Amino acid sequence: MTLTLDAPQLVDTRPLLLARHVSKTYGNVQALNDVSATVYPGEVLGIVGESGSGKSTFLRCLNLEETPDSGSYTLDLPDVGGNLFDLDRYARRMLCATRIGIVYQNPHLGLLMKHSSSGNVAERLLVAGERRFHTLRDKARDALDASEFPLDRMDAPPIELSGGMQQRVQLAKAIALEPALLLLDEPTTGLDVSVQALVLDTLKRLQQERRITMVIVSHDLGVIRTLADRVMVMRGGRVVEEGLADQIFQDPQAAYTQQLVHAKL
Amino acid sequence: MTRVLDVRGLSKGFTMHHLERHMAAFQNISFTLDAGRFLLLKGQNGAGKSSLLRTLYRSYLAGSGEILFHSAHGVIDLARAADVDVTLLRQTEIGFVTQFLTARPRVSAEALVAEPLRRAGRPLDDALAEARHWLKTFGVKPDLWAAYPTTFSGGEQQKVNLARALILPQRLLLLDEPTASLDAGARAALVQRLAELKAGGTAMIGVFHHPGDVAQLIDTEIDLTPDDKLHEDQPHVAL
């Protein structure tokens, strides 16, 4: 009952991220079924869906932690060509360490909990080839500061920090090398409401000031509404619907999206 | 006159899956709008005035018809334009003033108002200074400028909303009852700002509960109430 949309006419930049027809099965479970996504430079794509919708699996594919059964994934960056799913382990690791940042829901996945917070951030810089101690420390401090981490605690190990602080260390680690793409997997889930607001505000500010391209996965529609320019709705491994964030929330087309939006408190 | 908008045969309806029904919001609307002109949308409650504004802004997807917007980059059909193109136009050429402020946690009133200027590349101090000027113009007390609008009264929030929405001149401005919940002083400031923007060439489409507030700005009107109240007799079409 609605018109189909044209290809972009005014925006002449190419998409930064193009994922096409990505499918993945685990045993007889189809986790991803022909999922495609396009993200333009500076854009924030939000992915919503219930547990088991495939949204986190898709994000792990974008972080090259998973290899799908079929599909392609390209990033429009200098020296980065071809289908990234075809890269070997070493090339994937280098690409992720230098061009893609990720913040996991569980800080244990993203951080060495007993090393210092500054060391966790510096590790990312070491992988990229930085060896000078003072530069490492300065850059780690800058990244922690941009993530609004209190610098007097920068040498404390994450295990001694609160959940909100741990997320800030993850964020600092993710942005230390100014990544072309920042992936966020339920970054505020499990945090209490006031800390959630702080983390959201930090993300929004980073997005506005640095124009970092982001893909954020969350089951929390409020988080997506605050951060995302565009929203992709997933269910059962498929994309149900996608559109501008306000359109998805105000004029959802699919029955499932209507249920999801109307179920929000 | 420079043409800004050509709307042709525009219709919008909502499919409500849980009711298994399709409801028409408005049907077959056509009009044109030139730079510096003000179009008032009239009609009874539920005639589709706000829905039409939201469809023009692409918060709603059009069912059929064309919304030809004459942008600085050329003519584009907003009914079918790609999301990225719409995002670009919203940042540079099309503004929307609603009755409601979308406040964000832990963002001050002045920072919220300054955001459109920051996005346009204005330095922080300069953007904040202009934001304060508009907050003052709309009657927000200086004590509140650095506070978070989530805690403000409805009227104060609306003033912040107006300052933010009107800080940058646009090619097309959509106004959805912007005078609701405003005191007389803020209403006068709003009308003055709209007159300024209009004189500068901004084309405007507005829905007003009390059109008398903006009487001197109105150039044309469209009444969306169906002639024979068709919608009352058959508002729902079975799927």
Side-chain angles (χ1 to χ4, degrees):
Chain A
M1 279 292 190
T2 48
L3 301 166
T4 48
L5 303 186
D6 296 336
Q9 285 176 42
L10 307 183
V11 172
D12 54 3
T13 47
R14 284 175 299 183
L16 172 74
L17 182 162
L18 259 179
R20 285 285 166 268
H21 310 299
V22 178
S23 294
K24 170 89 184 165
T25 48
Y26 296 107
N28 21 353
V29 178
Q30 177 108 38
L32 295 175
N33 190 344
D34 197 24
V35 176
S36 295
T38 307
V39 187
Y40 284 82
E43 207 178 24
V44 181
L45 175 69
I47 306 179
V48 294
E50 62 203 5
S51 305
S53 61
K55 54 191 195 307
S56 292
T57 304
F58 185 60
L59 200 78
R60 284 203 302 278
C61 287
L62 297 182
N63 197 41
L64 298 172
E65 292 168 59
E66 298 272 3
T67 304
D69 306 329
S70 58
S72 68
Y73 172 28
T74 56
L75 287 177
D76 184 29
L77 294 172
D79 311 323
V80 179
N83 182 356
L84 302 182
F85 293 136
D86 294 337
L87 294 178
D88 62 25
R89 263 180 71 183
Y90 177 75
R92 284 180 183 212
R93 181 153 186 255
M94 281 313 289
L95 182 66
C96 290
T98 55
R99 317 308 292 273
I100 303 175
I102 187 159
V103 175
Y104 296 96
Q105 176 184 353
N106 182 351
H108 288 261
L109 285 175
L111 298 175
L112 296 163
M113 298 306 277
K114 292 183 179 172
H115 287 59
S116 71
S117 297
S118 53
N120 266 283
V121 180
E123 186 251 5
R124 176 53 67 103
L125 302 159
L126 274 166
V127 174
E130 183 56 63
R131 291 290 181 272
R132 288 161 298 178
F133 177 77
H134 287 291
T135 312
L136 283 170
R137 191 154 174 86
D138 288 350
K139 286 194 172 173
R141 182 191 289 115
D142 290 349
L144 285 162
D145 195 29
S147 305
E148 299 184 23
F149 183 90
L151 294 180
D152 56 339
R153 304 292 317 273
M154 69 184 270
D155 294 321
I159 199 152
E160 292 176 9
L161 302 170
S162 68
M165 286 298 157
Q166 290 174 352
Q167 288 309 64
R168 277 161 202 282
V169 180
Q170 276 208 82
L171 189 57
K173 184 179 170 184
I175 61 167
L177 282 172
E178 310 218 334
L181 177 65
L182 180 60
L183 305 172
L184 302 137
D185 189 6
E186 303 273 6
T188 60
T189 306
L191 301 177
D192 65 59
V193 180
S194 61
V195 179
Q196 199 174 50
L198 297 181
V199 173
L200 282 182
D201 181 38
T202 306
L203 287 171
K204 189 82 193 173
R205 197 175 44 72
L206 283 173
Q207 194 264 328
Q208 283 180 347
E209 287 173 6
R210 303 190 178 198
R211 303 299 299 157
I212 302 179
T213 309
M214 299 186 193
V215 178
I216 175 166
V217 160
S218 182
H219 68 273
D220 184 335
L221 299 184
V223 168
I224 295 293
R225 197 166 195 164
T226 307
L227 292 175
D229 299 311
R230 269 190 317 119
V231 174
M232 189 162 110
V233 183
M234 289 187 69
R235 188 188 201 193
R238 286 177 183 274
V239 178
V240 174
E241 181 171 357
E242 62 178 307
L244 290 165
D246 57 324
Q247 181 255 302
I248 292 290
F249 285 104
Q250 294 181 36
D251 187 20
Q253 305 294 307
Y256 175 67
T257 316
Q258 290 188 0
Q259 266 178 33
L260 201 69
V261 169
H262 296 151
K264 182 168 162 39
L265 295 174
Chain B
M1 275 276 187
T2 315
R3 182 57 52 84
V4 172
L5 206 57
D6 272 304
V7 174
R8 296 177 187 163
L10 189 65
S11 299
K12 169 68 190 164
F14 296 98
T15 301
M16 297 157 119
H17 291 279
H18 67 294
L19 300 175
E20 297 189 341
R21 275 210 312 229
H22 186 78
M23 292 178 71
F26 56 82
Q27 285 175 324
N28 201 21
I29 304 288
S30 299
F31 64 89
T32 59
L33 187 67
D34 292 333
R37 305 283 286 175
F38 189 111
L39 168 67
L40 178 75
L41 299 181
K42 295 201 308 187
Q44 61 196 26
N45 290 344
K49 305 182 292 292
S50 293
S51 293
L52 175 54
L53 286 183
R54 288 176 193 176
T55 307
L56 297 175
Y57 196 62
R58 254 288 281 286
S59 294
Y60 289 174
L61 289 173
S64 58
E66 291 180 319
I67 307 166
L68 301 178
F69 177 65
H70 298 245
S71 83
H73 311 271
V75 180
I76 184 164
D77 182 0
L78 295 175
R80 292 184 178 80
D83 291 334
V84 273
D85 286 340
V86 175
T87 304
L88 175 77
L89 290 173
R90 286 178 179 185
Q91 286 172 2
T92 52
E93 300 190 38
I94 305 176
F96 193 4
V97 189
T98 64
Q99 310 161 47
F100 309 105
L101 175 75
T102 319
R104 284 206 314 276
R106 225 175 59 113
V107 179
S108 69
E110 58 189 19
L112 208 60
V113 175
E115 253 177 29
L117 296 175
R118 293 284 290 145
R119 215 184 287 128
R122 206 78 83 73
L124 181 64
D125 289 348
D126 188 22
L128 281 177
E130 189 161 342
R132 288 177 197 128
H133 163 74
W134 287 109
L135 285 167
K136 187 177 173 193
T137 305
F138 285 112
V140 180
K141 292 188 284 277
D143 297 355
L144 296 177
W145 296 351
Y148 306 143
T150 29
T151 56
F152 292 7
S153 74
E156 299 285 1
Q157 286 198 2
Q158 175 62 344
K159 291 174 188 177
V160 175
N161 194 27
L162 289 175
R164 177 185 159 92
L166 301 176
I167 197 163
L168 263 187
Q170 313 272 2
R171 201 178 196 88
L172 174 65
L173 189 57
L174 307 169
L175 303 150
D176 192 2
E177 304 226 16
T179 50
S181 75
L182 284 187
D183 51 41
R187 237 183 357 250
L190 170 67
V191 173
Q192 197 189 336
R193 177 62 176 157
L194 291 180
E196 250 172 58
L197 291 170
K198 184 171 182 271
T202 298
M204 300 182 187
I205 305 178
V207 175
F208 287 82
H209 198 59
H210 300 290
D213 292 341
V214 287
Q216 70 268 40
L217 301 177
I218 299 168
D219 297 305
T220 45
E221 297 181 354
I222 292 181
D223 194 334
L224 291 180
T225 311
D227 297 340
D228 49 357
K229 301 205 171 179
L230 183 79
H231 291 214
E232 279 189 0
D233 299 335
Q234 10 171 238
H236 312 129
V237 180
L239 279 177

